[in-house]
Short mmCIF file of all heavy atoms in Angstrom, two decimals:
data_model
loop_
_atom_site.label_atom_id
_atom_site.label_comp_id
_atom_site.label_asym_id
_atom_site.label_seq_id
_atom_site.Cartn_x
_atom_site.Cartn_y
_atom_site.Cartn_z
N MET A 1 18.93 -4.34 -7.42
CA MET A 1 17.95 -5.37 -7.65
C MET A 1 16.82 -4.78 -8.48
O MET A 1 16.33 -3.70 -8.21
CB MET A 1 17.43 -5.88 -6.31
CG MET A 1 16.33 -6.90 -6.47
SD MET A 1 16.00 -7.88 -5.00
CE MET A 1 15.20 -6.72 -3.92
N ASP A 2 16.42 -5.51 -9.49
CA ASP A 2 15.32 -5.05 -10.34
C ASP A 2 14.01 -5.20 -9.61
O ASP A 2 13.78 -6.16 -8.90
CB ASP A 2 15.25 -5.88 -11.63
CG ASP A 2 16.39 -5.57 -12.56
OD1 ASP A 2 16.96 -4.47 -12.44
OD2 ASP A 2 16.73 -6.43 -13.40
N ASN A 3 13.14 -4.22 -9.81
CA ASN A 3 11.81 -4.29 -9.22
C ASN A 3 10.89 -4.91 -10.25
O ASN A 3 10.54 -4.30 -11.24
CB ASN A 3 11.34 -2.87 -8.84
CG ASN A 3 10.08 -2.90 -8.03
OD1 ASN A 3 9.48 -3.95 -7.83
ND2 ASN A 3 9.68 -1.74 -7.55
N ASP A 4 10.49 -6.16 -10.03
CA ASP A 4 9.68 -6.86 -11.00
C ASP A 4 8.19 -6.84 -10.67
O ASP A 4 7.41 -7.56 -11.25
CB ASP A 4 10.16 -8.31 -11.17
CG ASP A 4 10.06 -9.11 -9.89
OD1 ASP A 4 9.72 -8.52 -8.84
OD2 ASP A 4 10.33 -10.31 -9.93
N HIS A 5 7.80 -5.99 -9.73
CA HIS A 5 6.39 -5.86 -9.39
C HIS A 5 5.75 -4.89 -10.38
O HIS A 5 6.31 -3.88 -10.73
CB HIS A 5 6.22 -5.32 -7.97
CG HIS A 5 6.88 -6.18 -6.95
ND1 HIS A 5 6.38 -7.39 -6.56
CD2 HIS A 5 8.02 -6.01 -6.25
CE1 HIS A 5 7.17 -7.92 -5.65
NE2 HIS A 5 8.18 -7.10 -5.45
N SER A 6 4.56 -5.20 -10.81
CA SER A 6 3.84 -4.35 -11.73
C SER A 6 2.53 -3.93 -11.10
O SER A 6 1.87 -4.73 -10.46
CB SER A 6 3.56 -5.10 -13.03
OG SER A 6 2.63 -4.40 -13.81
N ALA A 7 2.16 -2.65 -11.28
CA ALA A 7 0.88 -2.19 -10.75
C ALA A 7 -0.28 -2.86 -11.46
O ALA A 7 -1.38 -2.93 -10.93
CB ALA A 7 0.78 -0.67 -10.90
N ASP A 8 -0.05 -3.37 -12.67
CA ASP A 8 -1.11 -4.04 -13.40
C ASP A 8 -1.38 -5.44 -12.86
O ASP A 8 -2.49 -5.94 -12.97
CB ASP A 8 -0.76 -4.14 -14.89
CG ASP A 8 -0.66 -2.77 -15.53
OD1 ASP A 8 -1.34 -1.84 -15.05
OD2 ASP A 8 0.12 -2.63 -16.48
N VAL A 9 -0.35 -6.08 -12.32
CA VAL A 9 -0.48 -7.44 -11.83
C VAL A 9 0.14 -7.51 -10.44
O VAL A 9 1.34 -7.69 -10.30
CB VAL A 9 0.21 -8.46 -12.76
CG1 VAL A 9 0.02 -9.86 -12.23
CG2 VAL A 9 -0.31 -8.34 -14.18
N ILE A 10 -0.68 -7.33 -9.43
CA ILE A 10 -0.22 -7.43 -8.05
C ILE A 10 -0.92 -8.63 -7.44
O ILE A 10 -2.15 -8.69 -7.41
CB ILE A 10 -0.54 -6.15 -7.25
CG1 ILE A 10 0.14 -4.94 -7.88
CG2 ILE A 10 -0.09 -6.31 -5.81
CD1 ILE A 10 -0.19 -3.63 -7.20
N SER A 11 -0.15 -9.57 -6.96
CA SER A 11 -0.72 -10.79 -6.41
C SER A 11 -1.41 -10.51 -5.07
O SER A 11 -1.18 -9.48 -4.43
CB SER A 11 0.37 -11.84 -6.21
OG SER A 11 1.21 -11.47 -5.14
N THR A 12 -2.21 -11.45 -4.65
CA THR A 12 -2.86 -11.36 -3.35
C THR A 12 -1.82 -11.29 -2.26
O THR A 12 -1.95 -10.53 -1.30
CB THR A 12 -3.79 -12.57 -3.13
OG1 THR A 12 -4.74 -12.61 -4.20
CG2 THR A 12 -4.50 -12.49 -1.80
N PHE A 13 -0.77 -12.06 -2.41
CA PHE A 13 0.33 -12.05 -1.45
C PHE A 13 0.94 -10.66 -1.34
O PHE A 13 1.16 -10.14 -0.24
CB PHE A 13 1.38 -13.08 -1.87
CG PHE A 13 2.54 -13.18 -0.92
CD1 PHE A 13 2.40 -13.80 0.31
CD2 PHE A 13 3.77 -12.65 -1.27
CE1 PHE A 13 3.48 -13.89 1.19
CE2 PHE A 13 4.85 -12.74 -0.41
CZ PHE A 13 4.70 -13.36 0.83
N ASP A 14 1.21 -10.03 -2.50
CA ASP A 14 1.76 -8.67 -2.51
C ASP A 14 0.81 -7.67 -1.86
O ASP A 14 1.24 -6.78 -1.13
CB ASP A 14 2.07 -8.22 -3.94
CG ASP A 14 3.25 -8.97 -4.55
OD1 ASP A 14 4.13 -9.43 -3.80
OD2 ASP A 14 3.27 -9.09 -5.78
N CYS A 15 -0.48 -7.81 -2.13
CA CYS A 15 -1.47 -6.92 -1.53
C CYS A 15 -1.45 -7.03 -0.01
O CYS A 15 -1.52 -6.02 0.70
CB CYS A 15 -2.87 -7.24 -2.05
SG CYS A 15 -3.12 -6.76 -3.76
N ASN A 16 -1.34 -8.26 0.48
CA ASN A 16 -1.29 -8.46 1.92
C ASN A 16 -0.02 -7.89 2.53
O ASN A 16 -0.05 -7.33 3.63
CB ASN A 16 -1.43 -9.94 2.26
CG ASN A 16 -2.86 -10.42 2.10
OD1 ASN A 16 -3.80 -9.72 2.45
ND2 ASN A 16 -3.03 -11.60 1.56
N ILE A 17 1.09 -8.00 1.82
CA ILE A 17 2.35 -7.39 2.28
C ILE A 17 2.18 -5.88 2.40
O ILE A 17 2.56 -5.27 3.40
CB ILE A 17 3.51 -7.73 1.32
CG1 ILE A 17 3.90 -9.19 1.46
CG2 ILE A 17 4.72 -6.82 1.58
CD1 ILE A 17 4.89 -9.66 0.41
N LEU A 18 1.61 -5.28 1.36
CA LEU A 18 1.40 -3.83 1.37
C LEU A 18 0.49 -3.40 2.52
O LEU A 18 0.77 -2.42 3.22
CB LEU A 18 0.81 -3.37 0.04
CG LEU A 18 1.77 -3.34 -1.13
CD1 LEU A 18 1.01 -3.21 -2.45
CD2 LEU A 18 2.76 -2.20 -0.97
N ARG A 19 -0.59 -4.14 2.72
CA ARG A 19 -1.54 -3.78 3.78
C ARG A 19 -0.90 -3.94 5.16
O ARG A 19 -1.07 -3.09 6.03
CB ARG A 19 -2.80 -4.63 3.67
CG ARG A 19 -3.91 -4.13 4.57
CD ARG A 19 -5.21 -4.78 4.24
NE ARG A 19 -6.29 -4.09 4.89
CZ ARG A 19 -7.43 -4.64 5.21
NH1 ARG A 19 -7.67 -5.89 4.89
NH2 ARG A 19 -8.36 -3.95 5.80
N ASP A 20 -0.17 -5.02 5.37
CA ASP A 20 0.51 -5.22 6.66
C ASP A 20 1.55 -4.13 6.91
O ASP A 20 1.67 -3.62 8.02
CB ASP A 20 1.16 -6.59 6.72
CG ASP A 20 0.17 -7.73 6.84
OD1 ASP A 20 -1.02 -7.47 7.16
OD2 ASP A 20 0.57 -8.88 6.60
N ALA A 21 2.31 -3.78 5.87
CA ALA A 21 3.32 -2.72 6.01
C ALA A 21 2.65 -1.39 6.33
O ALA A 21 3.13 -0.62 7.17
CB ALA A 21 4.14 -2.61 4.74
N PHE A 22 1.53 -1.13 5.66
CA PHE A 22 0.79 0.11 5.91
C PHE A 22 0.33 0.17 7.36
O PHE A 22 0.55 1.16 8.05
CB PHE A 22 -0.40 0.22 4.95
CG PHE A 22 -1.35 1.31 5.32
CD1 PHE A 22 -1.05 2.63 5.02
CD2 PHE A 22 -2.54 1.03 5.97
CE1 PHE A 22 -1.92 3.66 5.37
CE2 PHE A 22 -3.41 2.04 6.32
CZ PHE A 22 -3.10 3.35 6.03
N ARG A 23 -0.32 -0.88 7.81
CA ARG A 23 -0.86 -0.89 9.19
C ARG A 23 0.25 -0.74 10.22
O ARG A 23 0.11 0.00 11.19
CB ARG A 23 -1.63 -2.19 9.43
CG ARG A 23 -2.94 -2.23 8.70
CD ARG A 23 -3.66 -3.53 8.94
NE ARG A 23 -5.01 -3.47 8.40
CZ ARG A 23 -5.89 -4.41 8.58
NH1 ARG A 23 -5.59 -5.50 9.26
NH2 ARG A 23 -7.10 -4.29 8.07
N THR A 24 1.35 -1.44 10.02
CA THR A 24 2.48 -1.34 10.94
C THR A 24 3.02 0.08 10.97
O THR A 24 3.27 0.64 12.05
CB THR A 24 3.58 -2.34 10.55
OG1 THR A 24 3.05 -3.67 10.60
CG2 THR A 24 4.78 -2.24 11.48
N SER A 25 3.20 0.68 9.81
CA SER A 25 3.73 2.04 9.73
C SER A 25 2.80 3.06 10.37
O SER A 25 3.27 3.97 11.06
CB SER A 25 3.97 2.44 8.27
OG SER A 25 4.99 1.67 7.72
N VAL A 26 1.52 2.90 10.15
CA VAL A 26 0.55 3.83 10.74
C VAL A 26 0.65 3.80 12.26
O VAL A 26 0.67 4.84 12.92
CB VAL A 26 -0.89 3.49 10.27
CG1 VAL A 26 -1.93 4.15 11.15
CG2 VAL A 26 -1.08 3.92 8.82
N ILE A 27 0.74 2.60 12.81
CA ILE A 27 0.82 2.47 14.26
C ILE A 27 2.16 2.97 14.79
O ILE A 27 2.21 3.79 15.72
CB ILE A 27 0.59 1.00 14.68
CG1 ILE A 27 -0.87 0.61 14.39
CG2 ILE A 27 0.93 0.79 16.16
CD1 ILE A 27 -1.14 -0.89 14.47
N GLU A 28 3.26 2.50 14.20
CA GLU A 28 4.59 2.85 14.70
C GLU A 28 4.93 4.32 14.52
O GLU A 28 5.62 4.90 15.35
CB GLU A 28 5.65 2.00 14.02
CG GLU A 28 5.63 0.55 14.45
CD GLU A 28 6.69 -0.30 13.78
OE1 GLU A 28 7.40 0.21 12.88
OE2 GLU A 28 6.79 -1.48 14.14
N ASN A 29 4.45 4.92 13.44
CA ASN A 29 4.78 6.32 13.15
C ASN A 29 3.68 7.29 13.54
O ASN A 29 3.82 8.50 13.34
CB ASN A 29 5.12 6.49 11.67
CG ASN A 29 6.35 5.69 11.29
OD1 ASN A 29 7.36 5.72 11.97
ND2 ASN A 29 6.26 4.93 10.21
N GLY A 30 2.57 6.77 14.05
CA GLY A 30 1.48 7.64 14.49
C GLY A 30 0.91 8.50 13.36
O GLY A 30 0.61 9.68 13.56
N ILE A 31 0.77 7.91 12.19
CA ILE A 31 0.27 8.66 11.03
C ILE A 31 -1.22 8.93 11.22
O ILE A 31 -2.00 7.99 11.40
CB ILE A 31 0.54 7.88 9.73
CG1 ILE A 31 2.05 7.69 9.55
CG2 ILE A 31 -0.07 8.60 8.53
CD1 ILE A 31 2.43 6.74 8.44
N PRO A 32 -1.62 10.19 11.17
CA PRO A 32 -3.04 10.52 11.35
C PRO A 32 -3.90 10.00 10.19
O PRO A 32 -3.42 9.89 9.05
CB PRO A 32 -3.07 12.04 11.40
CG PRO A 32 -1.71 12.52 11.13
CD PRO A 32 -0.79 11.37 11.00
N GLU A 33 -5.13 9.69 10.50
CA GLU A 33 -6.03 9.08 9.52
C GLU A 33 -6.21 9.93 8.26
O GLU A 33 -6.36 9.39 7.17
CB GLU A 33 -7.39 8.79 10.15
CG GLU A 33 -8.29 7.96 9.29
CD GLU A 33 -9.54 7.48 10.00
OE1 GLU A 33 -9.64 7.63 11.24
OE2 GLU A 33 -10.43 6.96 9.30
N ASP A 34 -6.16 11.24 8.39
CA ASP A 34 -6.34 12.10 7.21
C ASP A 34 -5.16 12.01 6.24
O ASP A 34 -5.24 12.51 5.12
CB ASP A 34 -6.61 13.55 7.61
CG ASP A 34 -5.44 14.23 8.32
OD1 ASP A 34 -4.60 13.51 8.91
OD2 ASP A 34 -5.38 15.46 8.28
N GLN A 35 -4.07 11.36 6.64
CA GLN A 35 -2.90 11.19 5.78
C GLN A 35 -2.74 9.76 5.26
O GLN A 35 -1.81 9.47 4.53
CB GLN A 35 -1.63 11.60 6.53
CG GLN A 35 -1.60 13.07 6.90
CD GLN A 35 -0.36 13.43 7.70
OE1 GLN A 35 0.60 12.66 7.77
NE2 GLN A 35 -0.40 14.59 8.31
N TRP A 36 -3.64 8.88 5.64
CA TRP A 36 -3.53 7.47 5.27
C TRP A 36 -3.53 7.24 3.77
O TRP A 36 -2.73 6.47 3.26
CB TRP A 36 -4.64 6.65 5.91
CG TRP A 36 -4.48 6.45 7.40
CD1 TRP A 36 -3.52 6.98 8.21
CD2 TRP A 36 -5.33 5.68 8.22
NE1 TRP A 36 -3.73 6.57 9.51
CE2 TRP A 36 -4.83 5.77 9.54
CE3 TRP A 36 -6.47 4.93 8.00
CZ2 TRP A 36 -5.43 5.12 10.61
CZ3 TRP A 36 -7.06 4.28 9.06
CH2 TRP A 36 -6.54 4.38 10.35
N GLN A 37 -4.43 7.88 3.05
CA GLN A 37 -4.52 7.65 1.60
C GLN A 37 -3.21 8.02 0.90
O GLN A 37 -2.72 7.26 0.07
CB GLN A 37 -5.68 8.45 1.00
CG GLN A 37 -7.03 7.98 1.48
CD GLN A 37 -7.80 7.27 0.41
OE1 GLN A 37 -7.53 7.43 -0.77
NE2 GLN A 37 -8.78 6.48 0.81
N GLY A 38 -2.67 9.17 1.23
CA GLY A 38 -1.42 9.60 0.62
C GLY A 38 -0.26 8.69 0.98
O GLY A 38 0.57 8.36 0.13
N TYR A 39 -0.22 8.27 2.23
CA TYR A 39 0.85 7.38 2.67
C TYR A 39 0.75 6.01 1.99
O TYR A 39 1.75 5.46 1.52
CB TYR A 39 0.83 7.22 4.19
CG TYR A 39 1.99 6.43 4.70
CD1 TYR A 39 3.26 6.99 4.72
CD2 TYR A 39 1.84 5.13 5.13
CE1 TYR A 39 4.36 6.27 5.16
CE2 TYR A 39 2.92 4.39 5.57
CZ TYR A 39 4.18 4.97 5.59
OH TYR A 39 5.25 4.24 6.01
N ALA A 40 -0.46 5.48 1.90
CA ALA A 40 -0.66 4.19 1.23
C ALA A 40 -0.30 4.29 -0.25
O ALA A 40 0.31 3.37 -0.80
CB ALA A 40 -2.11 3.73 1.40
N ALA A 41 -0.63 5.41 -0.88
CA ALA A 41 -0.28 5.60 -2.29
C ALA A 41 1.23 5.58 -2.48
O ALA A 41 1.74 5.00 -3.45
CB ALA A 41 -0.88 6.91 -2.81
N LEU A 42 1.96 6.19 -1.55
CA LEU A 42 3.43 6.16 -1.62
C LEU A 42 3.97 4.74 -1.46
O LEU A 42 4.90 4.34 -2.16
CB LEU A 42 4.03 7.06 -0.55
CG LEU A 42 3.92 8.55 -0.77
CD1 LEU A 42 4.45 9.32 0.45
CD2 LEU A 42 4.69 8.96 -2.01
N LEU A 43 3.39 3.98 -0.54
CA LEU A 43 3.82 2.59 -0.35
C LEU A 43 3.61 1.77 -1.62
O LEU A 43 4.50 1.03 -2.04
CB LEU A 43 3.05 1.94 0.79
CG LEU A 43 3.49 2.24 2.21
CD1 LEU A 43 2.56 1.56 3.20
CD2 LEU A 43 4.91 1.79 2.44
N ILE A 44 2.44 1.93 -2.22
CA ILE A 44 2.14 1.19 -3.45
C ILE A 44 3.11 1.59 -4.56
O ILE A 44 3.67 0.74 -5.24
CB ILE A 44 0.68 1.42 -3.90
CG1 ILE A 44 -0.30 0.87 -2.87
CG2 ILE A 44 0.43 0.78 -5.27
CD1 ILE A 44 -1.74 1.32 -3.08
N ARG A 45 3.32 2.89 -4.70
CA ARG A 45 4.24 3.38 -5.74
C ARG A 45 5.66 2.86 -5.51
O ARG A 45 6.32 2.40 -6.44
CB ARG A 45 4.24 4.89 -5.79
CG ARG A 45 5.04 5.42 -6.98
CD ARG A 45 5.32 6.88 -6.91
NE ARG A 45 6.30 7.08 -5.84
CZ ARG A 45 6.37 8.17 -5.10
NH1 ARG A 45 5.54 9.16 -5.27
NH2 ARG A 45 7.28 8.27 -4.15
N ASP A 46 6.12 2.91 -4.28
CA ASP A 46 7.47 2.43 -3.98
C ASP A 46 7.60 0.93 -4.23
O ASP A 46 8.62 0.47 -4.72
CB ASP A 46 7.85 2.75 -2.54
CG ASP A 46 8.11 4.22 -2.30
OD1 ASP A 46 8.22 4.99 -3.29
OD2 ASP A 46 8.20 4.61 -1.12
N TYR A 47 6.58 0.18 -3.91
CA TYR A 47 6.62 -1.28 -4.07
C TYR A 47 6.53 -1.71 -5.53
O TYR A 47 7.22 -2.61 -5.96
CB TYR A 47 5.49 -1.90 -3.25
CG TYR A 47 5.57 -3.40 -3.14
CD1 TYR A 47 6.48 -4.00 -2.28
CD2 TYR A 47 4.74 -4.23 -3.88
CE1 TYR A 47 6.56 -5.38 -2.16
CE2 TYR A 47 4.82 -5.61 -3.77
CZ TYR A 47 5.73 -6.17 -2.90
OH TYR A 47 5.80 -7.54 -2.80
N THR A 48 5.66 -1.02 -6.27
CA THR A 48 5.44 -1.43 -7.66
C THR A 48 6.31 -0.66 -8.65
O THR A 48 6.49 -1.12 -9.79
CB THR A 48 3.97 -1.21 -8.08
OG1 THR A 48 3.67 0.19 -8.03
CG2 THR A 48 3.02 -2.00 -7.21
N GLY A 49 6.79 0.50 -8.26
CA GLY A 49 7.55 1.33 -9.18
C GLY A 49 6.66 2.07 -10.16
O GLY A 49 7.11 2.60 -11.16
N ASN A 50 5.37 2.12 -9.86
CA ASN A 50 4.40 2.73 -10.76
C ASN A 50 3.36 3.48 -9.93
O ASN A 50 2.83 2.93 -8.97
CB ASN A 50 3.72 1.62 -11.58
CG ASN A 50 2.88 2.13 -12.71
OD1 ASN A 50 2.48 3.28 -12.73
ND2 ASN A 50 2.58 1.26 -13.65
N SER A 51 3.05 4.70 -10.31
CA SER A 51 2.05 5.48 -9.56
C SER A 51 0.65 5.32 -10.13
O SER A 51 -0.29 5.93 -9.64
CB SER A 51 2.44 6.95 -9.51
OG SER A 51 2.54 7.47 -10.81
N ASP A 52 0.52 4.50 -11.16
CA ASP A 52 -0.79 4.24 -11.77
C ASP A 52 -1.28 2.88 -11.28
O ASP A 52 -0.81 1.84 -11.71
CB ASP A 52 -0.66 4.24 -13.29
CG ASP A 52 -2.00 4.07 -13.99
OD1 ASP A 52 -3.02 4.51 -13.42
OD2 ASP A 52 -2.01 3.48 -15.09
N PHE A 53 -2.23 2.91 -10.33
CA PHE A 53 -2.75 1.67 -9.76
C PHE A 53 -4.25 1.82 -9.50
O PHE A 53 -4.78 2.93 -9.52
CB PHE A 53 -2.01 1.30 -8.46
CG PHE A 53 -1.94 2.44 -7.48
CD1 PHE A 53 -2.98 2.70 -6.62
CD2 PHE A 53 -0.82 3.25 -7.43
CE1 PHE A 53 -2.92 3.75 -5.72
CE2 PHE A 53 -0.74 4.30 -6.54
CZ PHE A 53 -1.79 4.55 -5.67
N GLU A 54 -4.90 0.72 -9.28
CA GLU A 54 -6.34 0.70 -9.05
C GLU A 54 -6.70 1.43 -7.76
O GLU A 54 -6.09 1.19 -6.71
CB GLU A 54 -6.84 -0.74 -8.96
CG GLU A 54 -6.78 -1.50 -10.24
CD GLU A 54 -7.85 -1.07 -11.22
OE1 GLU A 54 -8.95 -0.68 -10.78
OE2 GLU A 54 -7.57 -1.12 -12.42
N SER A 55 -7.69 2.27 -7.81
CA SER A 55 -8.14 2.97 -6.61
C SER A 55 -8.73 1.99 -5.60
O SER A 55 -8.69 2.25 -4.39
CB SER A 55 -9.16 4.05 -6.97
OG SER A 55 -10.29 3.49 -7.59
N ALA A 56 -9.24 0.87 -6.07
CA ALA A 56 -9.77 -0.15 -5.17
C ALA A 56 -8.67 -0.73 -4.27
O ALA A 56 -8.92 -1.06 -3.11
CB ALA A 56 -10.46 -1.26 -5.96
N LEU A 57 -7.47 -0.86 -4.81
CA LEU A 57 -6.34 -1.35 -4.02
C LEU A 57 -6.04 -0.36 -2.90
O LEU A 57 -5.88 -0.76 -1.74
CB LEU A 57 -5.11 -1.56 -4.89
CG LEU A 57 -3.81 -1.92 -4.16
CD1 LEU A 57 -3.98 -3.22 -3.39
CD2 LEU A 57 -2.66 -2.00 -5.15
N LEU A 58 -6.00 0.90 -3.22
CA LEU A 58 -5.74 1.93 -2.22
C LEU A 58 -6.82 1.90 -1.14
O LEU A 58 -6.52 1.92 0.05
CB LEU A 58 -5.67 3.31 -2.88
CG LEU A 58 -5.38 4.49 -1.98
CD1 LEU A 58 -4.00 4.37 -1.36
CD2 LEU A 58 -5.49 5.77 -2.78
N ALA A 59 -8.08 1.83 -1.55
CA ALA A 59 -9.19 1.80 -0.60
C ALA A 59 -9.11 0.58 0.31
O ALA A 59 -9.37 0.66 1.52
CB ALA A 59 -10.52 1.82 -1.35
N TRP A 60 -8.72 -0.57 -0.25
CA TRP A 60 -8.63 -1.80 0.54
C TRP A 60 -7.50 -1.70 1.56
O TRP A 60 -7.65 -2.14 2.70
CB TRP A 60 -8.41 -3.00 -0.39
CG TRP A 60 -8.32 -4.29 0.35
CD1 TRP A 60 -9.34 -5.01 0.87
CD2 TRP A 60 -7.12 -5.01 0.64
NE1 TRP A 60 -8.86 -6.14 1.48
CE2 TRP A 60 -7.49 -6.17 1.35
CE3 TRP A 60 -5.77 -4.79 0.37
CZ2 TRP A 60 -6.57 -7.09 1.80
CZ3 TRP A 60 -4.85 -5.72 0.82
CH2 TRP A 60 -5.25 -6.86 1.51
N ILE A 61 -6.38 -1.12 1.17
CA ILE A 61 -5.24 -1.02 2.08
C ILE A 61 -5.56 -0.13 3.27
O ILE A 61 -5.21 -0.45 4.40
CB ILE A 61 -3.99 -0.51 1.32
CG1 ILE A 61 -3.47 -1.63 0.41
CG2 ILE A 61 -2.90 -0.05 2.29
CD1 ILE A 61 -2.35 -1.22 -0.49
N VAL A 62 -6.25 0.97 3.05
CA VAL A 62 -6.52 1.91 4.16
C VAL A 62 -7.79 1.58 4.93
O VAL A 62 -8.06 2.20 5.96
CB VAL A 62 -6.57 3.37 3.67
CG1 VAL A 62 -5.27 3.78 3.03
CG2 VAL A 62 -7.73 3.62 2.74
N ARG A 63 -8.54 0.60 4.47
CA ARG A 63 -9.79 0.23 5.15
C ARG A 63 -9.49 -0.23 6.57
O ARG A 63 -8.54 -0.95 6.82
CB ARG A 63 -10.48 -0.90 4.38
CG ARG A 63 -11.84 -1.26 4.93
CD ARG A 63 -12.48 -2.34 4.13
NE ARG A 63 -11.74 -3.60 4.40
CZ ARG A 63 -11.72 -4.62 3.57
NH1 ARG A 63 -12.35 -4.57 2.43
NH2 ARG A 63 -11.05 -5.70 3.88
N LYS A 64 -10.32 0.18 7.49
CA LYS A 64 -10.16 -0.19 8.92
C LYS A 64 -10.60 -1.60 9.16
O LYS A 64 -11.37 -2.18 8.54
CB LYS A 64 -10.98 0.74 9.80
CG LYS A 64 -10.42 2.13 9.86
CD LYS A 64 -11.25 2.95 10.79
CE LYS A 64 -10.77 4.37 10.87
NZ LYS A 64 -11.53 5.18 11.77
#
């Protein structure tokens, strides 16, 4: 399946999916807070297929 998500254009819906997935993973896998940024960056990269994304997106995903 082609990944048609772009780091340049991520919808609000996609952002919410990423944030929900992040929160669920943190809880289920017991990821320590000092590793949240790196883990969220991996989620964004895997979802979009691009490691170049807005730092504001990363900050929003890991925000408590």
Side-chain angles (χ1 to χ4, degrees):
M1 176 163 72
D2 289 337
N3 189 354
D4 62 354
H5 302 286
S6 167
D8 296 331
V9 181
I10 300 176
S11 71
T12 302
F13 182 74
D14 290 333
C15 289
N16 285 320
I17 288 171
L18 285 166
R19 190 168 193 206
D20 288 345
F22 169 78
R23 288 179 171 187
T24 300
S25 293
V26 164
I27 292 167
E28 289 180 355
N29 297 313
I31 299 170
E33 190 171 350
D34 65 336
Q35 296 177 14
W36 288 4
Q37 294 252 339
Y39 186 73
L42 287 175
L43 280 177
I44 296 168
R45 188 192 71 210
D46 288 348
Y47 190 76
T48 64
N50 190 341
S51 60
D52 184 30
F53 51 83
E54 292 286 328
S55 60
L57 173 61
L58 182 64
W60 180 78
I61 288 174
V62 300
R63 186 179 71 204
K64 289 182 181 181

